[in-house]
Amino acid sequence: MPTTSRTNTATWLDDYNRWQIKVMKNGVRKTFTDPTPGRKGQRACNAKADAWLNDDIVDGNRRISALFADYLNELKITSSRTNYVKTKSIGDNWILPNLGKLKIAQLNEQHLQDMINKAFKKGLAKKSLENIRGFTNTFIKYCRKRQATRLFPENVIIPKGAPTKPKNILQPDGLRILFTSDKTTLYKKVITDPYINAYRFEVITGMRPGEIMALKKTQIINRIVTLRNSKNSLNEITEGKNGNARRRFALTDRGMQIVKEQTEKNPDSEYLFGEMTLSRYEKYWDRYRKYNGLGDTTLYELRHTFVSISKNLPEGKIKPIIGHSQNMDTFGVYGHEVAGELEDTADKISQFFDLFLK
C-alpha cells in the first residue's frame, strides 16, 4: 500500500543531460535521476522516486548469495537456457565472489564499481566488463521487483582503459581465396571443407552463424529468404538475438547458386547446410582459415565483412538485411517487395562482390 504521495515531477536539467526529481520521506530527502531523453526518461525517473516513497523493503537482510540462487531458479522457468548459463557463469565468477556475503541492504554502487574495477585489472575486455555490469543490473532489477532493495545503479562506469577487441574482416585477397578455394585439412589430410558454402553464404548475406545453422530450405522461396530462428551454442533453436533478427531479404545470384548446390548436396536434410553445431562449425572454420592463410577473422566477423563490402549502399538498405532496423509493419514489408526493393538491393550487393572478386 502506498504510504507517501509524490506531489512533484521530474524535470530535465540541460546542463547535466538528465531528468531529476527530489522527494522527501520521514524527514529524509533523496534525489533521483535518469539520463534517458524524452518522456520515457521522465517516467523512469518518477518511478524511481515512487518506488522509494511507497515500497517497503521486505528482504533487505537476505544475503546476495541467497537472492542470486532464487534468481537463477526463476530464470530456469522464465528465460532461455543460454541466458541462464551466461547469468550463472557471471554469478559464479564475479557476483558471488565479490558480493555474495553482503546483505542486499548493504549493497551500493561503489561495491559494483569495485567489482568492475577488479575485472578490469585482470585484463578483461570492454565487452566483457559491459556484460558483467549488464547481467548484474538485471539481477538487481529482480531484487527490486521482490522489494529487497531500492538500488538503481546509474553511475557504474567502464574504465576508459578497457581494451577493445579489434574487428577483423576479410580483405579483397581473402575474399578471393574464400570463393576459389574449398580445401582444408582434417587429421593432416587435405580435404574439401564440408562447410565451404556456409562460409560463403554468411559473407554474401551478413547472416549470423546461428542463423546459418538454423536455416531451413523452406525459408527460401524464389530469391527471398525469411529468417525466423537461430541456433545457440547449446544446439537449441531459438527465436534469434532480438526482434530485428526476424527479417526478409533477397539473395544475389551467388546466393542462389549456393542454395542450388547445397540442395543437391543435402537432398534429405531440412536444413540448407545440414545438421550443424556451433562448436563443429567454428572448428572447421578455424582449420579452413589457417590452411588458407586468412588471418584471425572469426565466423561472426564474416558478417562484418558483408557490411564492409556493402558500406557504399544507403544504411537504410543494409540494416533490414542484417537485422539492425526496427521491425517493419506488414504493409510496409509487402509494399517494398512489390516495388522490387529487395531484389534491387540484392543486385547492388552482387555488383560489389563482383568488384572485389575480380
Side-chain angles (χ1 to χ4, degrees):
M1 292 291 293
T3 57
T4 307
S5 297
R6 172 173 54 83
T7 58
N8 57 338
T9 188
T11 57
W12 179 257
L13 303 180
D14 287 327
D15 291 342
Y16 300 97
N17 290 320
R18 69 187 185 193
W19 291 95
Q20 178 174 296
I21 185 172
K22 296 181 179 181
V23 291
M24 180 177 289
K25 181 175 73 172
N26 299 327
V28 178
R29 180 180 293 273
K30 292 198 69 172
T31 300
F32 298 90
T33 63
D34 193 280
T36 308
R39 295 303 173 189
K40 182 178 179 180
Q42 185 184 40
R43 288 193 295 269
C45 192
N46 286 336
K48 295 173 187 179
D50 290 338
W52 181 70
L53 288 170
N54 300 324
D55 289 348
D56 293 325
I57 298 299
V58 296
D59 274 336
N61 288 325
R62 293 205 70 191
R63 304 282 180 188
I64 289 177
S65 57
L67 287 167
F68 194 79
D70 291 346
Y71 177 52
L72 289 178
N73 287 332
E74 181 167 297
L75 285 185
K76 285 182 180 179
I77 302 172
T78 62
S79 185
S80 68
R81 188 180 172 200
T82 303
N83 185 56
Y84 170 84
V85 170
K86 289 181 179 178
T87 302
K88 187 176 186 304
S89 176
I90 287 179
D92 290 343
N93 288 288
W94 296 103
I95 297 175
L96 296 180
N98 291 283
L99 311 173
K101 294 181 180 180
L102 286 175
K103 293 181 179 179
I104 187 66
Q106 298 173 309
L107 184 66
N108 57 47
E109 287 185 308
Q110 190 58 51
H111 290 123
L112 304 177
Q113 186 67 61
D114 289 343
M115 179 177 65
I116 294 296
N117 292 345
K118 185 175 181 179
F120 166 68
K121 291 176 180 178
K122 284 183 174 283
L124 269 67
K126 181 180 179 182
K127 180 64 175 177
S128 298
L129 298 179
E130 289 173 340
N131 283 339
I132 295 172
R133 181 177 63 180
F135 278 89
T136 303
N137 286 350
T138 304
F139 163 61
I140 294 174
K141 182 178 180 180
Y142 161 81
C143 293
R144 290 199 303 269
K145 183 178 71 173
R146 61 181 289 172
Q147 294 177 269
T149 183
R150 298 189 185 99
L151 181 64
F152 282 86
E154 295 178 326
N155 302 302
V156 180
I157 62 174
I158 304 300
K160 290 183 178 180
T164 301
K165 183 181 178 181
K167 297 290 190 300
N168 297 310
I169 65 168
L170 292 181
Q171 297 298 332
D173 287 346
L175 273 176
R176 283 188 282 272
I177 292 173
L178 178 63
F179 281 87
T180 55
S181 171
D182 61 3
K183 301 303 180 185
T184 187
T185 57
L186 184 63
Y187 303 123
K188 298 183 180 180
K189 293 182 179 180
V190 178
I191 65 168
T192 299
D193 194 308
Y195 299 126
I196 184 63
N197 279 337
Y199 313 147
R200 293 170 178 173
F201 201 74
E202 192 174 331
V203 167
I204 64 176
T205 62
M207 290 171 60
R208 299 175 175 91
E211 294 167 340
I212 290 286
M213 295 188 295
L215 182 62
K216 295 182 178 181
K217 297 171 185 174
T218 54
Q219 293 173 245
I220 306 172
I221 300 178
N222 297 324
R223 293 179 66 185
I224 306 302
V225 178
T226 301
L227 295 183
R228 307 184 188 92
N229 303 107
S230 185
K231 185 180 284 190
N232 62 27
S233 59
L234 301 173
N235 210 35
E236 299 171 327
I237 297 296
T238 70
E239 293 185 352
K241 185 175 181 180
N242 50 46
N244 294 332
R246 294 181 286 279
R247 60 196 188 276
R248 298 162 68 91
F249 60 87
L251 286 174
T252 63
D253 290 341
R254 280 192 177 83
M256 289 300 298
Q257 181 61 34
I258 290 175
V259 171
K260 181 175 181 296
E261 290 178 8
Q262 282 298 124
T263 301
E264 294 172 352
K265 182 179 178 181
N266 298 316
D268 299 326
S269 176
E270 65 175 325
Y271 294 100
L272 182 62
F273 299 104
E275 292 286 346
M276 304 166 65
T277 63
L278 183 59
S279 60
R280 179 178 172 85
Y281 191 27
E282 288 177 334
K283 286 178 182 177
Y284 268 88
W285 168 250
D286 284 342
R287 281 196 289 261
Y288 177 85
R289 66 175 179 79
K290 289 175 182 177
Y291 176 77
N292 289 279
L294 297 183
D296 295 328
T297 305
T298 66
L299 266 181
Y300 198 92
E301 286 170 341
L302 294 182
R303 172 175 160 87
H304 292 276
T305 300
F306 166 81
V307 176
S308 299
I309 293 295
S310 309
K311 65 184 178 183
N312 289 326
L313 281 173
E315 188 176 19
K317 297 277 190 180
I318 294 300
K319 282 189 173 183
I321 296 176
I322 63 173
H324 280 179
S325 67
Q326 294 182 353
N327 287 330
M328 295 183 187
D329 61 89
T330 302
F331 292 115
V333 171
Y334 282 96
H336 287 307
E337 290 183 5
V338 170
E341 288 193 2
L342 293 177
E343 290 81 357
D344 180 62
T345 299
D347 290 338
K348 286 185 170 61
I349 292 171
S350 186
Q351 292 171 17
F352 287 129
F353 277 93
D354 286 341
L355 176 65
F356 279 97
L357 290 172
K358 283 182 180 178

